[in-house]
Amino acid sequence: MLKQIEGSRAVAEAVARSRPQVICAYPITPQTHIVEALGALVKKGDLNAGFLNVESEFAAMSAVIGASAAGARAYTATASQGLLYMSEAVYNAAGLGLPVVMTVANRAIGAPINIWNDHSDAMSQRDAGWIQLYAETNQEAADLHIQAFRIAEELSNPVMVCMDGFLLTHASERVDVPGQDEVDAFLPPYAPRQVLDPADPVSIGAMVGPEAFTEVRYLAAERMRQALDLVPAVAADFAGQFGRSSGGLVRPYRIEDAELIVVALGSVLGTIADAVDELRDDGIRAGALGITTFRPFPVQAVRAALDGDHRLRRVVVIERALAPGSGGIVTADLRAAIATADGGAPRPEDTIISTVIAGLGGRPVTRKSLREMLTSAAQGNLPPFSFLDLRSDLVTSELARMRAARRSGPSAENLLRDLGVTAVS
Amino acid sequence: MFQVRFHGRGGQGVVTAAELLASAAFREDRHAQAFPSFGSERMGAPVTSFCRIDDKPIRTHEPVADPDALLIQDATLLHQVDLFAGLKPDGYVLLNSARGFGELGLADFTARYRGERFRTVPASNLAMTHLGRPLPGAPLLGGLAALTGVVSLDAVLAAITDRFTGQVAAGNAAAARAAFEYVAAETAELARAAAQAKERERADA
Amino acid sequence: MPYERIKFYQTGSFAAGNRLLPADLRSVQSSGDRANALTCGHRACQGCGEALGARYALDAAMRATKGKLIAVNATGCLEVFSTPFPETSWQVPWLHSLFGNAPAVASGVAAALKAMGRPEVRVVAQGGDGGTVDIGMACLSGMFERDDDVLYICYDNQAYMNTGVQRSGATPPAARTATTPAVGPEPGNTFGQGKNVPLIAMAHEIPYVATATVADLRDLEYKATRAMDFRGARYLHILVPCPLGWGSAPADTIKVARLATESGLFPVFEAEAGQVTSATPIRRQVPVQDYLRLQARYAHLFRPRERTDVIARLQAAADRNIARFGLRAGPGQPEQPERPPVPVAPHRDTPQER
Ligand SMILES: Cc1ncc(C[n+]2csc(CCOP(=O)(O)OP(=O)(O)O)c2C)c(N)n1
Ligand code: SF4
Ligand SMILES: [Mg+2]
């Protein structure tokens, strides 16, 4: 049904239609509205599921692990500090091959504490063994959850659906919320291969030593390889049944003849599309490549998208997280993909890749700034690594101080000192 | 695209108002997007929310920097927040106040804009009368419908009755209608005055 | 001459109630050189019980330690409303790390002070009920069990307020929160859940455990001061009404807190080494309805019809508290141990007037 609805509610409804049997979560901004809506559905009796208000994210992920191992379809949601707090269990769920689905309402990580959107949280778990899907719109966020349960259960691997905190979770947009019959037709009931069952006792979670650990990890890599086929197949199936395209590996926009391609994940792609249109009006042949599936990283699809018969010159990667000491997380994967795709020849040397760190901790990524930055990229003036809309005045004084005296201290508080405010008066 | 920025204080329904406007636009088969800018403000702190309305899908997710209209739920914000930042030269402003812009000491400021598009409506008073609580969101939306025509009053009323139930729905709807009529009457009055002035000019000439 | 009855209220300033007392018996807040540990300008809601409780507790602890205090804060309303970048309301050295680790961070601060030979500097850790009874429980129990020299203060507003009023392990039965909505056959939070952390703290047999509310601020000051008499792990649990989460009028914060104690729903007591040493008797017991009615989070118990069944269960819980802690004043009740009549003065190291 077509609705004007808050993203969180749309996701809650999509999750509810997926008939989860156990939902456990711990509140954290900006995930709260999703879980609250699900809690209300359960309490009202509209959704027949166990709903646990647990005492921490560690307990939330642990409880869905238990539920999934007992054969139930299980769901949780978190963000930021919460995702980090549950991290040990996040890895564990993947290692156990449990088809849990989790929403991550993307938010920055502290210190300094910050409740606003960027991708630091999900990116920190990129090697946990979960499939990671990033939603561009609330429609896609809702759709991805339905696909996620199917992907997770077909593959026996957990799936994380990432949606930008506030920008999507708290935005009211037009969403076609799938009906129960449609979802039932798309998503069969969960039929696990192994469950905890007195009728057929199995042991799950045994220790594996050097004799087989490598092989277990090899199989984890293999599952991810299989996901590269399954994710687009499920997306195609979804498009066939629901009549709209959501999910898949990558989403190209006007890249056919592009000489400048912006690569990004999540809701910023909408703003980028507007900027690309404007650049085209200016005579710059720009395009965009959205990466919907970040884990597994779709090497072939990325390479194919960047590898048309056009003479590609520049790729600008918009990074919504910073890897201090390394730079851009997406850039690293992209660079590897371009350098040597499976069996393919290396890219010509003339592709110039720039990393732009943007939109950290809720700093808006505006069309205006994108356009200026991309224009300078097209003119060859963009450095290999830069920050969008950096307030240089704020960092210059702190850098000067650091040069003058090597004394430790948290930089947020050092900035305070420079602003003339200190914690102790 | 028509972009509205809402200013108010935590607890006044600033976010709800933006969502109601989006929902009203949706009812008229338009694309709309509403979202808050706030995060951790408590009751009473200044908060902002946004609404975009367009005939085609809205892709951008940036905050509204250059609004076509401002809805100001609390006149005490006038001296606290840069409310008019980015307002388009032909933009609309609807302020919750029983007093006019002149009385509020803003006559100089409004002179830079199209004066007939800067209006006040006693939204809190109307809400007190009809709803029993000083929540100015619904009446301001009724007023916005009258002032800009970007959505119809019917769509606003439908959005209200869809969101709320019982007396709350009825009270908000009545307050929205009253505000619509208040603004529409003032518009008619302004038009009459303008016509008379023109008439006089012509007579003088 | 017109006759007017004068009521003496604690107003926390140089008001009548304080001025009529000898200087050495006045409250910490009445002193001009109080620390103002949490000073004005913070962003708490009107009528925030947590802001009030924190100010009284820390100012008393500051006086008891002659200003040699370091505070560690868990994530939560108190942390967020007191430090909106680039400002801070804290006039004590203050550290916020994470939501669930404040007790352990405080243990670390205490260990460092000991290692660096600064035993006179004392440590307070503080957090909301969620940060304390739920996510912080493991670290808290560890700090208790090791008897680390930290006073932990829990500001209990009975839900996760900072994230928009979700249920915590301290949310009382039947209360509506965002995750225990007032829908379905058993609206609000479930009966038979939740934990009593003062009792859990006592089970660790730490030197000092106390409960208090913002309705009796002299008692709160006394307990924060008294806690500083001890070395080792101490726990102070303060009931702090939250107008936003409870749906009470901002002006009713003190009243609601008082009714919580006078109904018996929130027992006020002290314990040393695992034994209750005093309990504040209820002067005039009120039915739980008097307390519930002031709060929208219980509105579903009165509308559309009065849920006498649910109210009776809450009354039974209050009655159990009254019996368990001996809260009924008057004959036939266990003797209350003598306690200094006015709280703040008796502390050994406290300079009476600075
Ligand atoms: C690991 C982690 N999970 C969740 C959160 C989100 N969070 C921050 S404060 C808070 C609630 C605080 O509740 P409480 O401790 O009762 O303090 P109050 O705000 O009610 O004073 C939550 C859930 C977080 N910061 N870190
Ligand atoms: S929400 Fe409650 S605890 Fe938080 S600042 Fe407001 S009144 Fe205080
Ligand atoms: Mg709390």
Side-chain angles (χ1 to χ4, degrees):
Chain A
M1 197 172 97
L2 206 55
K3 293 182 180 179
Q4 181 77 28
I5 187 172
E6 190 200 42
S8 295
R9 300 205 131 260
V11 165
E13 291 193 16
V15 169
R17 304 280 143 80
S18 306
R19 301 188 186 276
Q21 292 155 294
V22 174
I23 301 168
C24 314
Y26 190 73
I28 182 160
T29 307
Q31 149 267 38
T32 42
H33 292 186
I34 303 172
V35 180
E36 289 166 10
L38 282 166
L41 287 173
V42 171
K43 187 115 202 201
K44 262 191 277 183
D46 292 349
L47 172 62
N48 184 16
F51 184 85
L52 296 187
N53 285 309
V54 288
E55 76 281 6
S56 73
E57 289 84 1
F58 182 70
M61 181 51 70
S62 304
V64 292
I65 286 172
S68 186
R73 182 172 286 164
Y75 170 82
T76 185
T78 190
S80 182
Q81 311 300 132
L83 182 62
L84 266 62
Y85 197 83
M86 65 165 62
S87 179
E88 186 186 4
V90 170
Y91 274 71
N92 186 251
L96 293 173
L98 296 171
V100 166
V101 169
M102 168 162 69
T103 312
V104 175
N106 295 112
R107 160 182 154 180
I109 290 173
I113 186 170
N114 176 297
I115 59 170
W116 291 273
N117 167 247
D118 68 29
H119 289 171
S120 313
D121 50 5
M123 286 289 159
S124 79
Q125 302 299 301
R126 66 187 181 277
D127 300 330
W130 286 54
I131 292 166
Q132 283 196 351
L133 310 175
Y134 285 77
E136 181 178 334
T137 62
N138 278 330
Q139 180 69 63
E140 185 163 54
D143 294 346
L144 282 179
H145 281 85
I146 298 163
Q147 297 185 26
F149 280 107
R150 198 162 125 189
I151 295 165
E153 290 167 13
E154 277 191 31
L155 209 59
S156 213
N157 200 86
V159 178
M160 197 181 287
V161 180
C162 303
M163 65 189 292
D164 285 321
F166 288 113
L167 298 180
L168 291 183
T169 55
H170 286 53
S172 154
E173 294 182 346
R174 175 186 287 217
V175 178
D176 192 349
V177 180
Q180 188 63 64
D181 294 346
E182 294 174 288
V183 177
D184 286 347
F186 179 79
L187 179 64
Y190 176 35
R193 239 186 93 206
Q194 294 198 47
V195 286
L196 299 172
D197 183 357
D200 179 16
V202 291
S203 305
I204 301 178
M207 178 181 280
V208 173
E211 68 286 358
F213 194 79
T214 304
E215 288 66 31
V216 171
R217 300 306 293 155
Y218 177 91
L219 292 171
E222 174 58 20
R223 268 213 301 274
M224 282 295 186
R225 212 196 49 72
Q226 292 170 10
L228 286 173
D229 297 331
L230 182 61
V231 169
V234 168
D237 223 20
F238 187 91
Q241 192 188 319
F242 291 85
R244 60 176 173 268
S245 102
S246 283
L249 298 176
V250 295
R251 174 136 343 117
Y253 180 72
R254 301 187 81 169
I255 61 168
E256 298 74 28
D257 61 342
E259 292 181 337
L260 170 69
I261 293 190
V262 194
V263 177
L265 286 65
S267 68
V268 74
L269 283 162
T271 316
I272 290 174
D274 282 355
V276 162
D277 288 357
E278 287 184 359
L279 290 170
R280 290 257 170 188
D281 293 345
D282 294 349
I284 298 172
R285 287 200 284 174
L289 181 67
I291 296 183
T292 311
T293 303
F294 180 64
R295 282 291 177 272
F297 194 77
V299 171
Q300 303 270 24
V302 166
R303 191 182 162 90
L306 299 183
D307 212 15
D309 44 13
H310 55 279
R311 283 175 36 251
L312 180 64
R313 279 281 142 79
R314 295 178 194 284
V315 175
V316 174
V317 187
I318 304 285
E319 301 271 6
R320 306 292 322 281
L322 170 71
S326 151
I329 297 165
V330 182
T331 309
D333 284 326
L334 188 98
R335 212 177 272 287
I338 290 179
T340 49
D342 299 343
R347 275 292 310 173
E349 292 297 295
D350 62 357
T351 299
I352 299 169
I353 303 176
S354 304
T355 300
V356 176
I357 309 284
L360 297 186
R363 167 103 17 118
V365 181
T366 64
R367 195 175 27 171
K368 183 165 166 283
S369 297
L370 281 172
R371 187 174 160 175
E372 281 165 17
M373 180 270 290
L374 292 171
T375 303
S376 82
Q379 293 160 351
N381 293 331
L382 189 67
F385 182 78
S386 60
F387 285 71
L388 189 69
D389 291 339
L390 181 74
R391 286 180 61 184
S392 345
D393 54 325
L394 272 185
V395 292
T396 323
S397 53
E398 172 67 357
L399 285 173
R401 189 198 63 78
M402 281 160 68
R403 267 193 302 276
R406 285 167 51 92
R407 291 186 59 189
S408 67
S411 28
E413 280 66 19
N414 287 343
L415 288 180
L416 285 184
R417 219 165 257 277
D418 291 338
L419 289 171
V421 190
T422 55
V424 182
S425 53
Chain B
M1 179 147 47
F2 193 87
Q3 308 190 94
V4 186
R5 196 168 65 210
F6 297 72
H7 291 278
R9 293 186 179 276
Q12 273 184 337
V14 185
V15 181
T16 309
E19 287 177 359
L20 285 173
L21 180 59
S23 152
F26 171 76
R27 259 150 239 283
E28 299 189 322
D29 218 18
R30 308 189 70 196
H31 290 269
Q33 182 193 54
F35 55 103
S37 82
F38 76 109
S40 59
E41 284 80 6
R42 311 287 121 171
M43 285 191 283
V47 263
T48 310
S49 65
F50 309 96
C51 182
R52 291 192 170 93
I53 299 172
D54 206 347
D55 293 320
K56 54 182 198 308
I58 299 164
R59 296 187 296 197
T60 185
H61 282 98
E62 62 188 305
V64 170
D66 47 351
D68 298 283
L70 293 174
L71 276 198
I72 303 166
Q73 300 205 338
D74 192 318
T76 62
L77 290 167
L78 284 170
H79 307 290
Q80 210 177 337
V81 180
D82 186 7
L83 295 175
F84 302 96
L87 178 65
K88 295 208 178 118
D90 57 351
Y92 298 92
V93 174
L94 192 58
L95 170 69
N96 171 20
S97 172
R99 296 188 287 168
F101 276 92
E103 275 179 87
L104 291 164
L106 287 172
D108 286 354
F109 179 81
T110 56
R112 281 189 268 142
Y113 294 87
R114 289 178 57 178
E116 81 282 6
R117 295 190 166 188
F118 274 53
R119 301 286 191 81
T120 59
V121 63
S124 293
N125 299 352
L126 293 173
M128 278 310 283
T129 308
H130 295 280
L131 182 66
R133 289 170 65 199
L135 294 175
L140 280 170
L141 291 179
L144 185 79
L147 179 61
T148 66
V150 66
V151 289
S152 67
L153 176 64
D154 285 345
V156 170
L157 297 180
I160 289 170
T161 40
D162 190 48
R163 171 98 178 212
F164 305 107
T165 52
Q167 297 210 315
V168 179
N172 273 309
R177 186 185 293 281
F180 180 91
E181 282 158 9
Y182 179 97
V183 172
E186 197 183 48
T187 305
E189 181 58 36
L190 286 170
R192 222 180 352 261
Q196 273 168 7
K198 214 173 253 162
E199 195 75 12
R200 238 176 283 124
E201 248 169 57
R202 210 171 312 141
D204 287 352
Chain C
M1 209 177 93
Y3 167 81
E4 197 181 339
R5 193 167 154 227
I6 298 171
K7 289 185 186 170
F8 290 104
Y9 285 117
Q10 301 164 344
T11 61
S13 65
F14 296 98
N18 281 321
R19 256 186 289 131
L20 296 181
L21 291 170
D24 60 346
L25 294 183
R26 289 179 196 164
S27 71
V28 177
Q29 281 304 310
S30 72
S31 156
D33 62 358
R34 62 186 183 255
N36 289 329
L38 175 65
T39 195
C40 54
H42 61 67
R43 308 286 206 270
C45 308
Q46 290 174 8
C48 174
E50 190 162 275
L52 182 65
R55 181 187 169 94
Y56 272 72
L58 284 209
D59 278 1
M62 280 290 270
R63 173 184 283 199
T65 57
K66 303 196 185 84
K68 293 202 166 52
L69 193 70
I70 293 176
V72 173
N73 214 133
T75 310
C77 263
L78 178 60
E79 167 262 325
V80 169
F81 73 59
S82 62
T83 51
F85 191 87
E87 295 162 17
T88 175
S89 276
W90 295 104
Q91 306 204 84
V92 288
W94 179 91
L95 170 63
H96 162 243
S97 169
L98 293 170
F99 187 27
N101 67 356
V105 172
S107 291
V109 174
L113 292 169
K114 190 167 174 210
M116 296 186 305
R118 300 187 66 192
E120 77 287 3
V121 182
R122 308 293 300 275
V123 184
V124 165
Q126 49 185 356
D129 50 296
T132 306
V133 321
D134 289 341
I135 200 168
M137 194 69 208
C139 290
L140 184 67
S141 178
M143 182 209 105
F144 286 164
E145 165 271 313
R146 293 184 303 270
D147 201 20
D148 294 333
D149 188 24
V150 174
L151 167 62
Y152 188 95
I153 305 176
C154 170
Y155 301 103
D156 180 8
N157 52 25
Q158 304 190 330
Y160 297 114
M161 297 313 176
N162 183 49
T163 38
V165 198
Q166 294 86 10
R167 174 205 182 273
S168 80
T171 301
R176 180 198 72 198
T177 69
T179 44
T180 55
V183 294
E186 294 295 329
N189 194 30
T190 316
F191 274 85
Q193 299 185 342
K195 46 186 139 176
N196 187 327
V197 176
L199 293 184
I200 294 174
M202 283 165 61
H204 290 74
E205 301 194 355
I206 55 175
Y208 186 70
V209 173
T211 67
T213 78
V214 290
D216 190 347
L217 291 162
R218 300 300 296 271
D219 179 66
L220 171 55
E221 286 187 344
Y222 157 73
K223 282 168 177 165
T225 306
R226 174 83 182 125
M228 289 332 237
D229 281 345
F230 298 88
R231 286 279 173 179
R234 290 140 291 144
Y235 181 73
L236 179 54
H237 189 105
I238 310 173
L239 183 74
V240 290
C242 162
L244 178 90
W246 295 15
S248 51
D252 280 347
T253 293
I254 304 287
K255 184 174 174 186
V256 169
R258 183 174 300 120
L259 291 172
T261 59
E262 296 203 334
S263 61
L265 282 170
F266 187 86
V268 176
F269 64 92
E270 304 179 88
E272 290 179 25
Q275 298 299 320
V276 175
T277 52
S278 85
T280 306
I282 296 174
R283 269 189 302 175
R284 184 176 55 86
Q285 192 189 342
V286 297
V288 291
Q289 283 97 321
D290 289 14
Y291 169 69
L292 305 173
R293 254 185 229 288
L294 292 177
Q295 306 170 52
R297 63 175 171 157
Y298 294 115
H300 55 279
L301 299 185
F302 300 97
R303 280 189 310 271
R305 64 187 175 86
E306 186 156 332
R307 289 292 301 263
T308 43
D309 53 336
V310 181
I311 293 171
R313 292 181 78 178
L314 292 168
Q315 184 63 55
D319 294 342
R320 263 197 311 279
N321 279 337
I322 290 172
R324 181 180 200 170
F325 293 95
L327 300 179
R328 195 161 283 121
Q333 290 303 310
E335 277 285 301
Q336 292 300 323
E338 272 296 303
R339 178 170 110 183
V342 174
V344 174
H347 183 48
R348 323 178 220 104
D349 305 327
T350 308
Q352 305 306 343
E353 287 290 308
R354 280 182 295 176

